[in-house]
Amino acid sequence: MAAKEAIIITDKDEMRKWTRSMRAQGNTIGFVPTMGYLHQGHLSLVQDAHNQADLIVVSIYVNPGQFSPNEDLSTYPSDFQGDIEKLNSVPGGVDVVFNPKNLYDYGNSQIGNGSERNLEENGGMVVSCVEDKGMGHETWVRVEKLEKGLCGNSRPVFFRGVATVVTKLFNIVEPDVVVFGKKDYQQWRIIQRMVRDLDFGIKVIGSEIVREHDGLAMSSRNVKLSPEDRQRASSISRALSRAQVEAEKGQVNCRELINTAILTISEASGTVDYAEIVDQESLEPVETIKRPVVFCVAVCFGKVRLIDNMEIDV
């Protein structure tokens, strides 16, 4: 049986028209937003979407709104043709790949000048690559409490950009179900809260982390690791797994668990951005484990920043 070949759509109006046509025929739409350079973790999201909906849309779009100018937007890995081949190989395939060129292009070349003036008036502080390029976009979505802490500390524009582009994609794709990976745990919780608070009629599914053979969480950034750092990076999952085991044995002091994990990662030459044990719902830091928590970390090996987490249910 020949693999299903996805339709590639680049236009917002065409994407919206396709969804409405399919829904008029009684189909439900599952959606998997990605930034491309797909790996098995992404493909597992597609498989989970198949369990939730009749037809599947995958977006491939590297969102400039979630990168600050000093981050790795320009070097983010890309392999569009390879991505299409991988999606076509998934059992059941994918119905549409939505691959817009620029979701912040509103067809008015004069808008950029005004945006740049506003930045100068605000002290010249550029907060994302969208504003840096003077695209004129000025409406942002924020989930004010959940975006603070964890990745929000070192990437202050990230979740504002994520929530905004996901809102735009929801309004374009109009899905019934969306699937996010739990590797980006804070992002998943933020999207859940945004959907609840803004009354989107969309079911948000969290898909479990897919790991390499040595435990490293699959990530599009793993390809940027040197061979030595790739080997060292497996210390992240070892540290989290050890904490999970210790907690299950009765160690509920979060500071002790965190210190041990940091030591394990530091001994492998990793630089810890943060290591925190937080409530699974509120993402508030926890001192003693008395309810379900998640141990979240961000670690740099060389210039590559990796995130991972592990839920602890005791």
Side-chain angles (χ1 to χ4, degrees):
M1 182 176 177
K4 178 192 293 186
E5 291 192 10
I7 301 167
I8 299 173
I9 296 177
T10 60
D11 180 74
K12 292 185 285 187
D13 291 334
E14 185 181 346
M15 181 69 253
R16 201 175 282 116
K17 182 186 294 185
W18 181 90
T19 296
R20 292 178 181 180
S21 173
M22 294 301 106
R23 185 173 287 114
Q25 299 174 36
N27 295 298
T28 54
I29 310 299
F31 180 39
V32 179
T34 82
M35 296 208 301
Y37 210 73
L38 305 181
H39 50 67
Q40 188 56 46
H42 294 110
L43 302 186
S44 74
L45 304 183
V46 175
Q47 292 168 334
D48 285 349
H50 272 294
N51 296 329
Q52 301 287 334
D54 301 318
L55 303 175
I56 308 301
V57 177
V58 173
S59 64
I60 296 178
Y61 179 66
V62 181
N63 172 37
Q66 67 195 59
F67 290 84
S68 64
N70 63 345
E71 292 181 320
D72 60 348
L73 173 63
S74 63
T75 60
Y76 196 85
S78 174
D79 179 17
F80 184 73
Q81 190 54 46
D83 290 343
I84 297 300
E85 292 173 2
K86 290 173 184 175
L87 291 172
N88 287 339
S89 72
V90 174
V94 166
D95 296 279
V96 171
V97 173
F98 180 49
N99 180 225
K101 182 178 180 181
N102 183 2
L103 289 178
Y104 301 91
D105 181 1
Y106 305 112
N108 187 344
S109 61
Q110 299 302 313
I111 289 179
N113 295 329
S115 176
E116 291 164 345
R117 282 197 299 273
N118 287 338
L119 287 173
E120 291 170 0
E121 290 167 4
N122 290 329
M125 183 181 68
V126 176
V127 292
S128 80
C129 291
V130 169
E131 287 121 327
D132 188 40
K133 295 182 183 299
M135 294 181 183
H137 181 91
E138 53 183 300
T139 304
W140 299 95
V141 179
R142 305 196 71 152
V143 182
E144 294 184 349
K145 287 187 178 180
L146 288 183
E147 73 175 25
K148 296 176 181 177
L150 302 177
C151 284
N153 286 330
S154 58
R155 303 189 70 188
V157 307
F158 178 70
F159 290 118
R160 182 194 73 162
V162 168
T164 300
V165 80
V166 170
T167 296
K168 289 168 74 70
L169 288 167
F170 283 174
N171 286 332
I172 295 166
V173 177
E174 298 183 343
D176 299 285
V177 179
V178 64
V179 183
F180 282 88
K182 285 188 179 181
K183 182 179 74 70
D184 302 284
Y185 199 91
Q186 188 176 13
Q187 172 179 274
W188 169 54
R189 289 302 194 189
I190 282 173
I191 299 304
Q192 276 191 322
R193 188 66 53 83
M194 182 187 79
V195 164
R196 185 200 73 177
D197 290 355
L198 298 184
D199 290 311
F200 283 102
I202 301 171
K203 182 179 180 182
V204 182
I205 302 296
S207 187
E208 298 301 325
I209 297 172
V210 178
R211 299 183 179 278
E212 303 282 0
H213 67 280
D214 60 355
L216 179 65
M218 289 190 175
S219 168
S220 298
R221 288 187 169 95
N222 289 352
V223 69
K224 300 170 75 172
L225 292 165
S226 69
E228 296 79 13
D229 283 337
R230 169 62 187 82
Q231 187 173 9
R232 294 166 180 156
S234 63
S235 63
I236 300 173
S237 62
R238 288 202 308 273
L240 292 174
S241 295
R242 179 177 178 182
Q244 185 183 55
V245 170
E246 291 300 314
E248 289 171 351
K249 289 180 178 179
Q251 173 59 276
V252 295
N253 185 305
C254 292
R255 179 45 53 191
E256 293 290 334
L257 293 170
I258 289 169
N259 287 343
T260 300
I262 290 175
L263 180 62
T264 298
I265 295 168
S266 298
E267 287 177 343
S269 302
T271 302
V272 177
D273 178 6
Y274 66 77
E276 294 189 42
I277 297 175
V278 299
D279 181 87
Q280 289 185 13
E281 294 285 341
S282 70
L283 304 186
E284 292 286 342
V286 173
E287 294 183 359
T288 303
I289 301 175
K290 299 177 181 178
R291 57 188 184 276
V293 297
V294 57
F295 194 163
C296 299
V297 298
V299 181
C300 290
F301 284 93
K303 295 183 178 180
V304 183
R305 183 177 182 275
L306 303 174
I307 61 172
D308 199 353
N309 68 80
M310 199 162 287
E311 292 177 322
I312 300 175
D313 299 301
V314 295

